[in-house]
Amino acid sequence: MPQQNLGDYLSTLTKKELTEIRQYWQFGGISQLNKSELIEALVERIKAQLKDWLKYQLPRNIDFLERVIEKQKQKKRVKVTFKEVLPQALNNFYYRGILDLIDDEEETTVRIPTDLAAQIEEITNDSEFKEQLQKNKEIMTFVSGLLVYYGALSASEIYDFYEKYYDNSGKDVNYLYLRKLVDEIYLSTDRIERYGYYYLDPGVISPEEIIDEIEMRQNVDYYLPRKKDILYAGSNEEEKLNFVQRKFKKMLIKDFSIPEVEAEDMLWTMKLDIKNDFSSMSMLQDFAIDYEFENEKQTQKFVKQLNELHNNTRMWILKGHTPEELFEEERKHLQPLPKNERDGSVGEQTVVKGEKVGRNDPCPCGSGKKYKKCCLGKDS
């Protein structure tokens, strides 16, 4: 059987499948066409949009398309594995009509319509296009790193951070370009999730709660890491370990005979739990399911270091700060009460807040929780 062009391939699809392609591209004005007219319109519009769409791709995805194009010159269909391409990227290509995909229990095979393959080859051989792909890759790493630190950001917030860290005086990357790029990263990788108009780190468990907590802290500025630390986080899906985190890992290895690789995975999970605002008590209970404490001393040591870990891990609800950092900042705004000269009933270390704490304000103890869920009522 000869290789098909785009029109031939689309003619094998149902009207429903063609409609899905139209909706995926967000093509307007052609929803009322019959099947043959719709195919003709899709062929014209896909070819017209192809170059612009490809410039928002990542090098890995373009490499995959180029390999398929080269292999299908000798074969009717090309067998692929998920080591070569992520399932998200494969589905993205399929739902845009770029890729004829057959996925069954035995194997996954693909082919690209011949006219599209020729067009893709011409576009991807351009040196400026290759340079753009490398820029896309760094932007993806940067955005992924931001989400490791902050959990949830809108497109405008991501763009503000980009302008803060990169020389964009020439507007080489404008807001619209960045938003389209991040949308394509979301569609073709596992590095970004979506919730409403927010982009999320994949580790966010309860997006609505995390976003509510972030929006509540209008008076708290975002923590600003160094650019190289953001890129490190984007490449490794976590920040560099600080002293307290390294100390906790050593304790797991030494006191509980946990292999280093397993200890690293456990620490990563615990950091993720903290970022999701899980309590130290719930983490202690989870740990105790699999590991037994030898004595009270070991238990107390573990609890102490777990609390230190919690207080020194950057939290999404705190805009990338640690509870310890915000507590230290809060202390700057605390004022000592004057000493009572007559009976000494008011000590020198007693402090009061400059303003009354509202029920929904961040608790001044630095826990990162709302006041009503933390220390409200404990003072009495």
Side-chain angles (χ1 to χ4, degrees):
M1 186 179 98
Q3 295 283 9
Q4 294 176 317
N5 61 29
L6 180 58
D8 295 332
Y9 165 58
L10 294 180
S11 66
T12 66
L13 304 180
T14 65
K15 179 71 180 294
K16 180 182 178 181
E17 289 170 328
L18 294 172
T19 299
E20 289 175 345
I21 293 174
R22 175 186 64 78
Q23 292 172 336
Y24 206 81
W25 278 99
Q26 297 182 338
F27 290 150
I30 57 175
S31 59
Q32 302 302 317
L33 301 180
N34 61 40
K35 182 176 178 179
S36 61
E37 292 171 335
L38 181 56
I39 290 172
E40 185 177 342
L42 286 175
V43 169
E44 180 181 350
R45 295 199 183 190
I46 289 173
K47 289 183 176 181
Q49 293 287 327
L50 186 61
K51 184 175 182 178
D52 184 69
W53 173 70
L54 286 173
K55 74 180 183 182
Y56 297 106
Q57 299 304 306
L58 299 172
R60 179 179 179 179
N61 294 339
I62 296 299
D63 289 344
F64 167 74
L65 292 179
E66 290 178 329
R67 286 198 302 273
V68 172
I69 291 171
E70 187 61 33
K71 288 181 179 179
Q72 74 180 26
K73 291 176 182 177
Q74 288 81 39
K75 301 178 181 179
K76 295 179 181 178
R77 303 192 63 86
V78 179
K79 182 179 178 180
V80 299
T81 68
F82 291 131
K83 290 183 178 179
E84 298 175 280
V85 60
L86 292 173
Q88 293 90 338
L90 206 58
N91 288 331
N92 190 26
F93 295 146
Y94 170 73
Y95 284 112
R96 290 196 184 274
I98 305 297
L99 206 65
D100 175 7
L101 169 67
I102 297 178
D103 188 13
D104 56 34
E105 294 181 359
E106 295 183 359
E107 63 181 13
T108 301
T109 63
V110 300
R111 65 181 172 193
I112 299 172
T114 53
D115 46 353
L116 283 189
Q119 190 177 352
I120 291 171
E121 279 190 300
E122 182 180 355
I123 295 168
T124 58
N125 284 334
D126 182 72
S127 59
E128 290 186 7
F129 178 82
K130 297 290 188 182
E131 291 176 7
Q132 186 63 55
L133 292 183
Q134 293 305 315
K135 181 180 287 187
N136 291 352
K137 182 179 179 181
E138 179 166 344
I139 293 175
M140 184 204 73
T141 304
F142 178 74
V143 173
S144 297
L146 289 176
L147 293 175
V148 168
Y149 275 96
Y150 307 128
L153 292 170
S154 66
S156 60
E157 287 172 327
I158 291 173
Y159 186 68
D160 288 343
F161 277 113
Y162 183 84
E163 291 216 303
K164 187 184 296 289
Y165 283 95
Y166 286 86
D167 178 12
N168 196 32
S169 55
K171 297 297 179 183
D172 296 331
V173 176
N174 58 37
Y175 169 75
L176 185 59
Y177 183 92
L178 186 67
R179 193 184 73 182
K180 286 185 176 180
L181 174 59
V182 176
D183 281 338
E184 277 300 316
I185 295 171
Y186 160 67
L187 290 172
S188 62
T189 76
D190 56 2
R191 302 298 298 277
I192 295 177
E193 296 294 336
R194 281 287 297 273
Y195 184 83
Y197 59 87
Y198 278 91
Y199 298 94
L200 306 175
D201 182 273
V204 174
I205 294 175
S206 301
E208 186 174 359
E209 293 181 12
I210 295 295
I211 291 168
D212 284 347
E213 293 281 353
I214 292 172
E215 291 179 343
M216 183 185 73
R217 292 173 170 81
Q218 297 295 326
N219 61 330
V220 177
D221 293 330
Y222 280 101
Y223 168 74
L224 296 177
R226 295 175 298 178
K227 178 179 172 181
K228 68 177 185 180
D229 291 334
I230 296 174
L231 294 174
Y232 176 91
S235 297
N236 296 276
E237 301 182 42
E238 65 173 341
E239 313 100 310
K240 289 182 179 178
L241 297 183
N242 59 32
F243 172 77
V244 172
Q245 292 162 347
R246 293 195 299 270
K247 178 182 174 184
F248 189 85
K249 173 187 163 184
K250 289 180 180 178
M251 182 267 294
L252 292 176
I253 296 172
K254 181 179 179 182
D255 293 4
F256 296 92
S257 301
I258 298 175
E260 183 172 0
V261 173
E262 187 176 333
E264 289 175 351
D265 290 342
M266 187 177 296
L267 176 59
W268 185 87
T269 301
M270 287 183 167
K271 287 168 57 186
L272 195 60
D273 286 347
I274 294 170
K275 287 177 177 292
N276 277 292
D277 197 25
F278 290 5
S279 68
S280 295
M281 180 57 69
S282 67
M283 294 165 62
L284 172 62
Q285 292 171 342
D286 289 342
F287 183 84
I289 293 174
D290 298 316
Y291 297 93
E292 186 175 345
F293 295 99
E294 295 179 355
N295 49 54
E296 185 177 352
K297 182 178 179 181
Q298 188 184 51
T299 304
Q300 291 176 345
K301 178 182 177 182
F302 181 88
V303 171
K304 179 182 177 182
Q305 291 202 28
L306 180 59
N307 286 330
E308 289 179 357
L309 177 69
H310 201 292
N311 288 330
N312 290 276
T313 294
R314 304 200 174 279
M315 297 182 66
W316 292 327
I317 65 170
L318 301 184
K319 294 184 170 181
H321 294 278
T322 68
E324 182 69 22
E325 287 171 347
L326 284 195
F327 178 70
E328 289 300 320
E329 184 65 25
E330 188 74 22
R331 288 178 61 182
K332 297 177 183 178
H333 303 287
L334 298 175
Q335 300 175 348
L337 285 170
K339 184 174 182 180
N340 190 315
E341 296 289 346
R342 292 180 296 175
D343 59 13
S345 60
V346 181
E348 293 183 1
Q349 300 303 315
T350 304
V351 295
V352 294
K353 281 277 278 130
E355 299 178 359
K356 184 178 179 180
V357 182
R359 289 170 53 82
N360 290 314
D361 290 338
C363 186
C365 76
S367 67
K369 300 181 182 298
K370 294 181 181 179
Y371 182 50
K372 68 182 180 182
K373 292 184 178 181
C374 192
C375 292
L376 180 62
K378 292 183 180 179
D379 295 338
S380 58

